[in-house]
Amino acid sequence: MADTADQKKSDHRSGKKRRFLPPPAWWPLPACALLGLAAGGVYGVLKAPEYAATSYVVAVPNETTEPATAQGFAQAYGRIATSSSTLAYAQPRAGVGAQQLRTQVRAETSPDSPMIAITGTSKSASEAADIANAVADALSLSSNQAAKNTGVQLLLFSQAVAPTEPASPSAAISAAVGLCAGGLLGGLWLLARPARRRPAEQDGTERPAVEEYASLPAQGEHSEHSETKEKESVR
């Protein structure tokens, strides 16, 4: 019975010691990765999907204008596609306020072709297509008014169609991005935090320095030992 009681006490003490064991040094890495995974998944689930539709406009030169001139005007018209004057023309058809329309449309040009891509974004697929087509028509209308002076006119190359799938990332992709970001932050934390001190340094005691030549005999002892060997050899 006494042995059983002592064993229970020892098990209880060992259990207490196990409970108070410090966590491993690399614990921030999995913790941050799990937090990033959860945050990315929640963001992907709660965020409303966003759709994007693109309309294409091409700059066409007239009979007296060189093709290189049309490409240069395409770059210029791409810069004014999101200007206040163009958006003012597009606002009635798009059905969106001017300030909001500015945040839901973007224009891109290519240095190799006189093509302008106008992309509309919205939480509704049909609204995204309407925004892209409205801005493309407004840009074509405003540019064609000066076609007699510039020698270049814009023509609608392809109208935007309502997309069937959202352009925003899904919940799985958001969770994967959050996992990678959390793991990166955890790794940076491990690299940036100070190193743990040794137990001797934590107690405030210093370990005695080990003498390198403690095992070597003294100079006097070495000479006496050699003289004893010489006498024995003479005998």
Side-chain angles (χ1 to χ4, degrees):
M1 294 295 291
D3 296 340
T4 306
D6 294 339
Q7 186 176 1
K8 287 183 179 180
K9 289 182 180 180
S10 61
D11 293 342
H12 185 65
R13 291 175 182 175
S14 61
K16 285 186 176 180
K17 291 181 180 179
R18 290 176 184 176
R19 290 178 185 176
F20 289 99
L21 284 176
W26 45 266
W27 71 265
L29 183 61
C32 292
L34 290 176
L35 287 176
L37 177 64
V42 171
Y43 175 79
V45 171
L46 297 180
K47 188 179 184 303
E50 188 176 18
Y51 295 88
T54 305
S55 178
Y56 295 93
V57 179
V58 62
V60 180
N62 57 18
E63 297 177 356
T64 60
T65 306
E66 297 180 357
T69 304
Q71 187 172 348
F73 272 100
Q75 300 290 329
Y77 285 132
R79 293 186 180 93
I80 66 173
T82 56
S83 63
S84 300
S85 58
T86 305
L87 297 180
Y89 278 110
Q91 181 181 356
R93 181 180 174 182
V96 181
Q99 295 182 355
Q100 185 178 356
L101 184 60
R102 189 184 299 275
T103 61
Q104 293 182 242
V105 66
R106 65 177 183 271
E108 298 176 353
T109 58
S110 173
D112 301 327
S113 62
M115 188 81 70
I116 304 172
I118 300 172
T119 304
T121 59
S122 176
K123 296 180 181 179
S124 172
S126 59
E127 185 179 11
D130 292 340
I131 290 174
N133 291 328
V135 175
D137 291 341
L139 181 63
S140 301
L141 180 62
S142 61
S143 63
N144 291 339
Q145 291 177 355
K148 293 181 180 180
N149 299 326
T150 60
V152 177
Q153 61 178 351
L154 292 181
L155 298 178
L156 185 62
F157 184 78
S158 176
Q159 283 190 342
V161 180
T164 57
E165 295 181 358
S168 57
S170 60
I173 297 177
S174 299
V177 172
L179 176 65
C180 296
L184 179 60
L185 291 177
L188 292 176
W189 189 357
L190 290 177
L191 293 176
R193 71 174 186 176
R196 288 185 175 181
R197 294 184 301 174
R198 295 180 180 179
E201 296 176 356
Q202 293 178 357
D203 298 338
T205 58
E206 295 183 358
R207 296 181 180 180
V210 180
E211 297 182 0
E212 296 181 357
Y213 303 101
S215 60
L216 296 178
Q219 186 174 1
E221 295 178 357
H222 179 69
S223 59
E224 292 178 358
H225 187 64
S226 59
E227 288 178 0
T228 304
K229 283 186 176 181
E230 290 178 0
K231 290 179 181 181
E232 291 178 356
S233 61
V234 170
R235 290 176 183 177

